[in-house]
Amino acid sequence: MTRQGAYKESDDMLIDEPKLPQQGQIAALPNEFNPSYLKIYYSKLFPHADLYRWMSYGNDGKHPACDSSYLGRREFSYTLDNDIFVRYNTFNSATELENSIKDKCPLKIDIGPIYNLNPARRNAYAGDNVLTPVERELIFDIDMSDYDDVRYCCSGADVCLNCWPLMTVAVKVIDTSLRDDFGFRHILWVYSGRRGVHCWVCDRKARRLTNEQRAAVADYFRVYKGNENNYKKVSLMGQVLHPFLARSYTEVLKEYFETKLLTSQNLLSSEERYEKILEMIPDQSIASELRGKWQESRRSSSAKEDINIVRWEQLKQLLQKHKAQVVRRCVEEIVFTYTFPRLDMEVSKHMNHLLKAPFCVHPKTGRVCVPINPNNCEEFDPTTVPTLIQLLEELNREGLRSDVEGEWNKTSLANAIKLFRSSFLQPLLKICKEEMESSYNAKLQQSKNLLSW
Amino acid sequence: MQVVRSHQSHRSFSSSSGSVSASPTLPLYRSAPELEVRLEDFESFAIDRLRVLKGISDGLSRGKKPDEMEKLVNELWKTNMRHQDSSQVLNKDIISHFVLRLVYCRTEELRKWFLSMESALFRHRFRNQTAEAQRAIMEEFDLPCKAVSNAEFESLKEKLGQVARSIGHNLSLSTTDAIYYKVPFEEVPELVTGRKVFINQGYAYVAMNQVVSLVATIFRSLLSKALILTNRKWATSIREQEQHRLTPIVEALCSSYLGPDFSQPKEYGEISLKDIDQVAKSSFPLCMRHLFEKLREDHHLKHAGRMQLGLFLKGVGLNVDDSLAFWREEFSKKVGLEKFEKEYAYNIRHNYGKEGKKTDYTPYSCQKIILSTPGVGDHHGCPYRHFGEENLRAALSRMGVNSRAMEDVMGKVRNRDYQLACTLTFEALHAAPCDAGINHPNQYFSDSQRLLKAKKDSST
């Protein structure tokens, strides 16, 4: 990967031997990603042991029910320098995993499914389709660029505090549904490092879902069906909304739309923008009435109240008292269009889809893929997520102070790792252990019953 | 299942074996029954059921709506699956299904078709079962369905009502509508997908009318697995063992044409030679029109073409003498009278069963014609299949098919629904529907003649 920016003398040393940037030069170095910094990251900060424990799902113990082949059947993929992509890496122990990462220093680590047999041995078997996924977390990928048609502050790869609330909405809506509707409990939300979030549902039941079942869940979450060819991308049929949609609207969408996005995105302030919304109204006379009103008021701007809010109220007034339900429903459709989560369906549907591992560093932004706490996701700020350079600076500052927990505890990564452990890993491993023990005991009882004949 | 010779009487299974069917009228075909079957019933029961399945297939590919399909299925079942001895109706149902399993297990395509049709059939029949029977069937299928207790129903009634109204069903307060089943959401992906159910804490709350979907899915997957096993058994042992008895029947069954064979036209001499040109224009299907026109043009047709057209004409009512005169008239223009008598007349008489082994050949069905492979210089086969798009369009417009119907027809052709394309052509030219669909060129002809005669009668 070529480095952009001016070449600095001090970088000579970095080529041969990874060294921390010197104190004085911190300000001079651009805040960007550097592959040799990764080496330090993997050697001192990346939580190898946590990743190992998570992926083992309790099979790393001494209990007779533990499946020692479990971890070895999980695929890990590496993206190396020069765009080299290596699949089907497998590990059988914590040290193997750790040493491999430290050694190969991948720019990105992807986690794949658990297969029926160790993928490293896949060529030893004759026949096609010998390797089949048997377990895989239920995963979701929400990317801000899928919202480009409803955000004006940024586009493409950029993300800012004006559009980030869309991600907050997505986390709230989906997390609530996964827990309340689907009964899942072991859910990990992770910042993708640049412009989105990933979700890992790790309950045993979730891991064993078939592709068809995954597709069903992803589809349950799907409301926006857009492409360039239709101007109306959300169509909410039925006399009333499904309870899931109704709850999402009243608990999350309405508030975020009306109090945040309407103003931060200036959705109704200019003709180009309000036309997009007026297009969605099925009653032409109402649309033109509003259009007329707004074209006039353009000249007289009362700075008292935000123009977007004023206009939204006017729109709602006209639509909500209409006798046709399809017109009244338009208000919700507009809100859903501008706020409802947009998932990448393909990621969720297939068991063999790879997804980036948490705690990787995003090569374009240098930010670490840290967990997000769904309970206070509204406070998550993507612009303050620790970057690789920042972490190395912190390490440098703390110097030789030793820490019982590990080097990461001296840096901003500490909170991320603690959150990962307390809210996700520990409860998960506890349940894995309980499930393992109880199913083992059940089997024992069963065989006892058989033998007692 | 034991197949016996007809002179042996067949005994039915004792009704105490309730494990055969959870419902008294809808078997689940979980395992081959302990029955004896007469050899001729083996074939005829299967043919009757095949009529039902093909009828369903036809209805589906014509895009019939669910309530139309419901009616169709009921009619098909009533018409074909009767038995003079009412106690034998269930047996016929079970036996016919298992025989058809043998027939349709042998290739991926056959299995797919059979699976789709049997699942559709099951779905419709299940819907018409009593609530009791439906519950029994669900139990039989090990559906982890728990009936929702009254208390729970009361607490969720509002949400359940919302879901129902969101998908266009109105939840009335009648007791049947208040029956809901609780099932882990992953058991009903098709209902989760469309947000057609209320989901809470991992459970989907399925309305009674949605249960059908559930059950049909399980039926389908069980049958799918069974078909694979059947295929294995067939290939490894049954086909060999039964090569002199059941195997030929089984192999013939799936390609059988099931309509009337037009080998005995009701009125001979219905068509007179002097009318034949006009009748060809008005009532011949495209395949025969083409052969006829080419014959008039070239004064010759190759063997396969002669067979296809010749037998068709026989089915249409041309007697052997008129037929000889017809062919002689054309061929003698090309090959001369003497050669005609020497080389072609014999064959014509053969077709009427007047020579050689005296088999009375039956006119070809659409299926047979579609499967033929015309080569260079041939004009037989099915134009919807064998003509290029341009030629087909030209031929159809010469017949008088208007441009809008043309597009519909071409659409069917692209989809390889050749018989449907012909049916649409028929409908366009006669300005009348042909609900049964075209399965045989002679059917086209007789339906056409009937319509034209009716028009003539009503106008005079």
Side-chain angles (χ1 to χ4, degrees), chain A residues 179-184 205 209 212-213 216-217 219-223 237-245, chain B residues 159 161-163 165-168 170 184-187 189-190 192-203:
Chain A
R179 286 176 207 273
D180 294 354
D181 300 346
F182 291 96
F184 292 126
K205 186 154 110 152
L209 291 176
E212 190 193 358
Q213 292 160 339
V217 177
D219 221 63
Y220 179 85
F221 290 142
R222 191 171 179 224
V223 167
M237 315 285 246
Q239 286 179 358
V240 299
L241 293 181
H242 186 281
F244 161 58
L245 300 182
Chain B
K159 296 261 163 62
Q162 278 177 345
V163 176
R165 283 160 66 206
S166 77
I167 53 176
N170 283 314
F185 78 87
E186 64 270 18
E187 303 285 338
E190 65 273 25
V192 171
T193 260
R195 286 189 295 265
K196 298 198 170 77
V197 281
F198 177 64
I199 303 182
N200 190 41
Q201 288 308 320
Y203 284 97

Side-chain angles (χ1 to χ4, degrees), chain B residues 379-399:
Chain B
H379 296 291
H380 63 281
C382 174
Y384 298 98
R385 178 172 179 212
H386 297 115
F387 277 23
E389 177 161 339
E390 250 180 67
N391 285 344
L392 183 56
R393 280 179 186 270
L396 287 173
S397 89
R398 268 203 317 274
M399 267 178 104

Side-chain angles (χ1 to χ4, degrees), chain B residues 126-238:
Chain B
F126 180 85
R127 255 202 201 98
N128 292 330
Q129 296 290 300
T130 64
E132 272 308 307
Q134 287 178 339
R135 249 187 286 250
I137 291 175
M138 285 195 284
E139 227 181 87
E140 180 69 28
F141 275 160
D142 282 329
L143 272 183
C145 253
K146 282 192 291 197
V148 170
S149 70
N150 282 333
E152 196 179 4
F153 178 74
E154 283 305 312
S155 71
L156 294 174
K157 198 160 69 170
E158 199 187 317
K159 296 261 163 62
L160 294 175
Q162 278 177 345
V163 176
R165 283 160 66 206
S166 77
I167 53 176
H169 295 150
N170 283 314
L171 182 65
S172 71
L173 295 169
S174 77
T175 38
T176 36
D177 275 352
I179 299 175
Y180 271 78
Y181 287 90
K182 205 168 139 163
V183 77
F185 78 87
E186 64 270 18
E187 303 285 338
V188 285
E190 65 273 25
L191 297 176
V192 171
T193 260
R195 286 189 295 265
K196 298 198 170 77
V197 281
F198 177 64
I199 303 182
N200 190 41
Q201 288 308 320
Y203 284 97
Y205 289 79
V206 184
M208 187 46 129
N209 63 18
Q210 294 172 315
V211 158
V212 178
S213 179
L214 211 62
V215 172
T217 308
I218 297 181
F219 174 82
R220 200 197 160 99
S221 96
L222 287 173
L223 183 54
S224 176
K225 295 192 189 103
L227 281 176
I228 307 275
L229 289 175
T230 308
N231 184 35
R232 219 169 280 165
K233 262 203 279 187
W234 169 263
T236 55
S237 54
I238 304 179

